[in-house]
Amino acid sequence: MKRSEFLKLMGLTAVGAAFAPSILANGKSDNVQHIDAQIKDLKATVDRPVTFLVLGAGNRGNVYAGYAKRYPDCMKIVGVADINRLRLENMSEDHNVPQENRFTDWKEALARPKMADAIVLSLPDNLHYEPCMKALEMGYHILLEKPIAPTEKECTDIRDLALKKKAIVGVCHVLRYAPYFIALKQIIDSGEIGQLISIQHLEPIQYAHMAHSFVRGNWHNSRETTPIILAKSCHDLDIIRWLVGSPCKSIAAYGSLTYFKRENMPKGAAERCIDNCPYESECPYSALDIYIKKRQHIYAFDLPKERSRQDDAIRQVLRTTNYGRCVFQMDNDQCDHYVTSMEFQNGVTANFSMEAFMAKGGRRTRIMATRGEIEGDMSAFTVTDFRSGKKRVWDAKVEEVKTYVGHGHGGGDLCLVRDFINAVGNNDPGYLSSPIEVSVESHIMGFMAEKSRLSNRKASI
C-alpha cells in the first residue's frame, strides 16, 4: 500500500487534518477537548413571508406553523383545514386566518384556486397521498410530514410528480436538521476518525410513548396507517443512510408484538383503566397514571386552556376514546421490539434497534471507524482517538440557545422549517438535505425491512 493510500485510509488526509482543529475549542483538560458548536440562527433569509396553507392542525401541524409566530416576516399562515373544528379554530385564530380560508376538509381547501406558496401537509399517514398529488398538480410546494405515504408505489408516485412539476417537497426528517446530527455528520465526513466501518443506533420509544402512540393511539394498527418501522423510525433509517453516505444494499429485520396482547392481560382486568381496574395502581401503562398523574402526551387531546378544567376533560377522553382502554385489550398489531441489520454499497454495516420497553427516551448512537469511535445520546457525543486516547466532546446546550428553547428533536423541527422557507423563498431546493428524491430512499429501506421481517428472509434493495 502506498503512503498516500495509507494516509487516506487512516483519515490523515489534508481535508481531515485541516478540519479537526477548526471545530475544536480549548478544552478544560489535557485529555478532553470540547468541540465548538456552530449553531445557526433559526431565522430564514427571505425577501417576503412565504405563505402557507396547513392541511392538518394537529400536533405536528402546530409545531411547523408555530414558526410563523416567531418569524412573521418569514412565514405566514393564510389557510387551515382540519376535520376537527376545535383544532381548526384554534390554529386559525392563532394565525388570524380569515373565515373564508378555514376549511373542515382538505378537499374543500384544494377545491379553491391556489392560495399560497406552499402547504404544510400533516394529515394522518393514510391521508397523505391524494392531497399531496392534488397539491403538486396545482403548483404548490409541500412540507410533507413523514412517512411520505403508506406504500412504496405511492411514495415513488409523489417523488416522480414532484420532479416533473419541479416542486420543492421537503420531507420532515427533522433529525437531519438538528445541530447534534449535523455536527456528527461533519465529524464523520471530515475523515478525522478514519474510514467509517459500522454504526449501531438505538431508538428507545419509551414505555409510555409506546402505549400512547402505538398501542392506544393513531398508529396502533399498521394496516390502517403504516408499520412502526416507518411510522416511528423512518427518521432513524434516514439518519443512518445520511451518516453512511451510500445507498443501502440489503436489509434484514426481526421483531414482533410480544407483550401488548390479550393473552397477557391480567385476569379480571377492566376494559378501561378508569373503570376501577384492580391492577391500575401497579400497572406502568395505566392511562390514569400516564395522562392525569404524570400529564404525559396530553398534547394529543383537545383540552381547555384553563388548567383547572383539564383533569375532567382528560377523564372524559379516557372514558370515550382508545386512550383510556387497557393496553392488553386493543386491536393493535405494531411490533414492540424491532431489530434491523443493514449493508451499504460502500461496505459499511449498521444495526438499528427500536425498543418499547425502556424507561428513558432519546436516541443513542455508536460510530466505529478505523482511527476512532463516536458515542452519543442526542444531547452530547464523544469522539475518541485510538492512537492518542484523547477525547473530544460535543455537548452544546441547544435548549439554552434562546431561539431553540422548547422545540423538539434537538431544534431540528424549526431548523427544517427555516430551511424549507429558504428553499421556497429563494427558489433553491439546495437548502434542504431531505428533498423528496432523497427521502424516498429511506422509506424503501423501511418497506424492505418489513418485507424481510414478515418473510424471515434478507431483502435486497
Side-chain angles (χ1 to χ4, degrees), residues 257-272:
L257 173 60
T258 299
Y259 187 60
F260 299 109
K261 301 190 293 187
R262 286 186 180 270
E263 53 261 44
N264 293 323
M265 182 184 74
K267 185 177 180 179
E271 183 178 346
R272 292 182 179 274

Side-chain angles (χ1 to χ4, degrees), residues 66-234:
Y67 188 95
K69 300 289 284 185
R70 285 174 171 259
Y71 301 106
D73 52 341
C74 300
M75 179 185 194
K76 181 175 177 59
I77 308 301
V78 298
V80 180
D82 199 292
I83 195 171
N84 184 305
R85 287 188 177 274
L86 179 60
R87 294 178 181 179
L88 170 63
E89 293 306 315
N90 283 343
M91 180 180 283
S92 297
E93 289 173 8
D94 280 348
H95 296 279
N96 298 313
V97 174
Q99 285 291 337
E100 63 270 22
N101 288 349
R102 302 181 185 188
F103 308 99
T104 56
D105 187 271
W106 68 263
K107 293 181 180 179
E108 183 185 356
L110 295 185
R112 292 268 299 274
K114 183 171 179 281
M115 68 178 72
D117 301 308
I119 282 176
V120 172
L121 205 167
S122 50
L123 294 163
D125 299 353
N126 61 331
L127 295 179
H128 283 193
Y129 180 71
E130 190 178 351
C132 192
M133 295 292 281
K134 172 69 172 176
L136 288 171
E137 289 286 2
M138 294 177 68
Y140 281 105
H141 302 295
I142 302 174
L143 183 61
L144 178 58
E145 181 56 89
K146 60 87 184 168
I148 295 169
T151 70
E152 181 178 345
K153 183 181 185 304
E154 289 175 336
C155 289
T156 55
D157 282 351
I158 291 171
R159 175 200 62 194
D160 293 346
L161 184 56
L163 294 176
K164 178 182 176 181
K165 293 290 186 178
K166 295 182 170 55
I168 296 171
V169 179
V171 179
C172 298
H173 280 149
V174 295
L175 297 184
R176 285 180 177 239
Y177 299 86
Y180 169 90
F181 281 108
I182 290 173
L184 197 61
K185 171 75 168 166
Q186 288 174 341
I187 295 290
I188 294 170
D189 290 351
S190 75
E192 70 171 275
I193 59 170
Q195 179 183 341
L196 177 63
I197 300 296
S198 192
I199 293 176
Q200 292 179 346
H201 185 67
L202 167 68
E203 183 184 12
I205 299 178
Q206 198 259 354
Y207 74 98
H209 189 181
M210 179 72 194
H212 169 74
S213 293
F214 303 104
V215 179
R216 295 176 170 125
N218 292 339
W219 297 272
H220 70 275
N221 191 300
S222 65
R223 296 181 297 277
E224 296 175 2
T225 54
T226 50
I228 195 168
I229 188 66
L230 283 163
K232 185 72 178 80
S233 294
C234 65

Side-chain angles (χ1 to χ4, degrees), residues 366-381:
R366 287 183 175 178
I367 311 291
M368 284 73 75
T370 54
R371 285 194 61 85
E373 68 170 8
I374 307 175
E375 186 171 359
D377 63 2
M378 206 170 159
S379 61
F381 64 77

Side-chain angles (χ1 to χ4, degrees), residues 1-13 194-195 370-371 387:
M1 181 184 292
K2 295 180 180 179
R3 184 174 185 275
S4 60
E5 293 173 340
F6 174 79
L7 292 175
K8 183 177 181 181
L9 182 64
M10 291 294 101
L12 293 176
T13 58
Q195 179 183 341
T370 54
R371 285 194 61 85
R387 178 61 187 262

